[in-house]
Amino acid sequence: MYRAYGLLLPKTEFDLDTAAKRLTAKIAGSSAARNGNLVSVSKGNWTLNIADVTGAHVPDETVGLTDKIAGFEQADAEVLAKSNRRIEVWTDDPDPFFEHYNDYQSAVEVLKSFPGVTAIDPNGPALL
């Protein structure tokens, strides 16, 4: 239902455990569980996932996304495309009454709280 990417500079301070701590502090009554490069933050029957994704495909996908964002500086895109790592935040749980939209927004805020992270909506694509 909700999805965001954190495009990372090659040298960033992003840390998955720190992100989970920051997010559970923002979402009252939530808890986090880590499994490898995935953290799941749960509140009741709703779960938001944060994954640290690494691979040779990431730079090409970064270029494809940033090329479609109006006003995105080419120089910034080139620097971001040097990283083979990004953060993905998502939930597939339905939220028909937008009860968890603020929780999702908190996750985007947590992404943006780390220096070297550019938060985007990959569906737009657009800056968040």
Side-chain angles (χ1 to χ4, degrees), residues 71-118:
F72 202 87
E73 295 292 327
Q74 182 64 31
D76 294 337
E78 290 173 6
V79 172
L80 289 170
K82 292 180 181 177
S83 177
N84 68 344
R85 183 175 165 229
R86 76 169 168 245
I87 305 306
E88 296 183 10
V89 176
W90 79 96
T91 182
D92 294 322
D93 292 344
D95 190 21
F97 303 110
F98 298 96
E99 297 170 276
H100 296 285
Y101 184 74
N102 287 337
D103 299 333
Y104 163 72
Q105 287 297 324
S106 292
V108 172
E109 289 174 16
V110 166
L111 281 179
K112 293 166 70 171
S113 72
F114 288 92
V117 178
T118 301

Side-chain angles (χ1 to χ4, degrees), residues 10-28:
K11 293 186 180 189
T12 181
E13 297 173 16
F14 183 87
D15 176 74
L16 198 55
D17 291 323
T18 303
K21 287 177 189 171
R22 289 180 185 175
L23 188 55
T24 55
K26 286 182 168 276
I27 302 175

